[in-house]
Amino acid sequence: MHSVTKARWQIHFCVLLWGFTAILGKLITLPALPLVWWRMLLVSGSLLLMPRVRRGLKAMPARLRWSYAGIGVLVSLHWLTFYAAIKLANASVAATCIALGPVFLALVEPWIAKRKFDPRELLIGVAVVPGVAMVVGGVPVDMRVGIAVGAFSALLVALFGSYNKRLVEHGDPLTVTCIELGTGTLFLTLLAPLLPHVGPAFVLPSLHDAALLVLLSFGCTLLPFALALVALRHMSAFGTQMVTNLEPVYAIVLAMLMLGEQRQLDGWFYAGVAVILAAVFMHPLLSRRQGKTTQPELLGTAESHNVVE
């Protein structure tokens, strides 16, 4: 098989696995905080066992380690709010909210990267507003808090994605992911006592939840991350982003097939999803740059993997 074709199939498989994160988040009975705590601990602990990662940690300047640690706090908050949105609403709603990541990126990335704002990117934000309105109108009232939390999670994706982009050339991607997720684990441990209504970070999972957490951590995080590191060498930023933009589609279809969530949502929701996805697919079309691959750091830490070229 031609290397580019093989890489494209690998990325599709990765996106399918990432789509399962929302499904597993719904099936795991743990609250959002311990769910994210265990996922971060398992992934960062596994990475720390790799000699390549330990060498990368020793070689990285302390200032850069602190920078990635700060980004790790944003990553932990993103994952926490993403899974909270699933618990407050459902997997389809959370996946739709995360599709707003590129919209927020178009607005915050010029400010963080200190570059001139491109008015074409404003079109993405304008185009998505009707879709958000239709999504809100298409869900039960008791799920609307989940929409707000999910939208905030998408904003966090744009923030840590922009900061990662600034530091993208300075660290090995596996080492960066280990630092960010390890810091996130520590941050959530310290945050838990300040959120007594949420519960403790450390909750021993049941056998059922433990099996799903292992699947989430290794099958839907480390495995696609490793495959993406290879596949991205053969794909352009445009091609990669057009494929990864399908993640919300995969997640919603999986939620319909596995969880029957279409019974909870009406036609306005799916019309809104179509408008939002149309705006999301506009993003790489407006800023097409061939020959540069999506940076793998984000692929290891985001639920939305489509926000950095």
Side-chain angles (χ1 to χ4, degrees):
M1 188 183 296
H2 191 273
S3 59
V4 175
T5 303
K6 182 179 179 181
R8 192 172 291 119
W9 279 108
Q10 282 182 319
I11 289 295
H12 271 288
F13 181 60
C14 291
V15 173
L16 178 63
L17 291 176
W18 287 321
F20 270 104
T21 61
I23 308 302
L24 292 172
K26 190 69 175 179
L27 294 175
I28 294 171
T29 61
L30 287 174
L33 184 61
L35 189 162
V36 175
W37 189 86
W38 276 108
R39 184 185 181 187
M40 287 190 149
L41 179 67
L42 288 171
V43 175
S44 59
S46 300
L47 289 173
L48 199 56
L49 296 175
M50 300 174 61
R52 168 182 169 178
V53 172
R54 293 199 298 272
R55 289 194 299 268
L57 286 171
K58 291 178 181 179
M60 187 178 291
R63 183 176 179 180
L64 191 56
R65 286 200 299 267
W66 280 109
S67 297
Y68 283 123
I71 296 171
V73 171
L74 294 176
V75 172
S76 67
L77 290 173
H78 154 61
W79 277 7
L80 180 62
T81 49
F82 173 72
Y83 286 105
I86 294 174
K87 302 296 183 180
L88 291 168
N90 61 30
S92 298
V93 169
T96 301
C97 292
I98 292 302
L100 296 171
V103 179
F104 288 121
L105 182 76
L107 299 175
V108 305
E109 200 265 339
W111 167 63
I112 292 175
K114 295 182 172 58
R115 66 168 175 83
K116 186 178 179 180
F117 178 76
D118 187 347
R120 293 177 302 173
E121 295 178 342
L122 185 60
L123 292 174
I124 304 170
V126 172
V128 83
V129 172
V132 173
M134 285 188 281
V135 164
V136 172
V139 303
V141 175
D142 60 352
M143 288 189 182
R144 292 180 182 175
V145 175
I147 293 178
V149 174
F152 181 62
S153 186
L155 174 60
L156 290 168
V157 169
L159 287 172
F160 81 71
S162 298
Y163 283 116
N164 257 344
K165 189 173 182 180
R166 287 181 60 180
L167 302 173
V168 75
E169 302 295 337
H170 301 292
D172 170 71
L174 290 173
T175 303
V176 169
T177 301
C178 181
I179 294 172
E180 292 184 354
L181 299 191
T183 303
T185 306
L186 178 61
F187 174 74
L188 292 181
T189 304
L190 299 175
L191 180 66
L194 304 178
L195 303 172
H197 60 288
V198 175
F202 178 79
V203 175
L204 196 64
S206 65
L207 187 61
H208 169 268
D209 282 346
L212 293 180
L213 279 168
V214 169
L215 181 59
L216 176 64
S217 301
F218 298 105
C220 297
T221 306
L222 282 180
L223 175 59
F225 179 64
L227 290 174
L229 284 176
V230 176
L232 292 174
R233 298 171 186 168
H234 305 285
M235 295 184 66
S236 68
F238 177 78
T240 302
Q241 193 164 7
M242 293 301 286
V243 175
T244 54
N245 281 344
L246 291 169
E247 183 187 345
V249 179
Y250 284 145
I252 291 170
V253 171
L254 289 169
M256 292 171 63
L257 294 174
M258 300 179 65
L259 305 176
E261 290 187 355
Q262 72 276 11
R263 294 189 291 270
Q264 300 173 288
L265 307 164
D266 65 21
W268 282 108
F269 172 82
Y270 293 103
V273 170
V275 173
I276 291 172
L277 291 176
V280 168
F281 277 94
M282 261 172 44
H283 184 247
L285 292 171
L286 288 174
S287 56
R288 183 170 183 170
R289 300 173 195 155
Q290 291 288 351
K292 190 177 179 184
T293 56
T294 299
Q295 301 300 342
E297 284 84 342
L298 284 188
L299 299 178
T301 53
E303 297 302 346
S304 174
H305 311 275
N306 52 6
V307 296
V308 169
E309 301 161 27

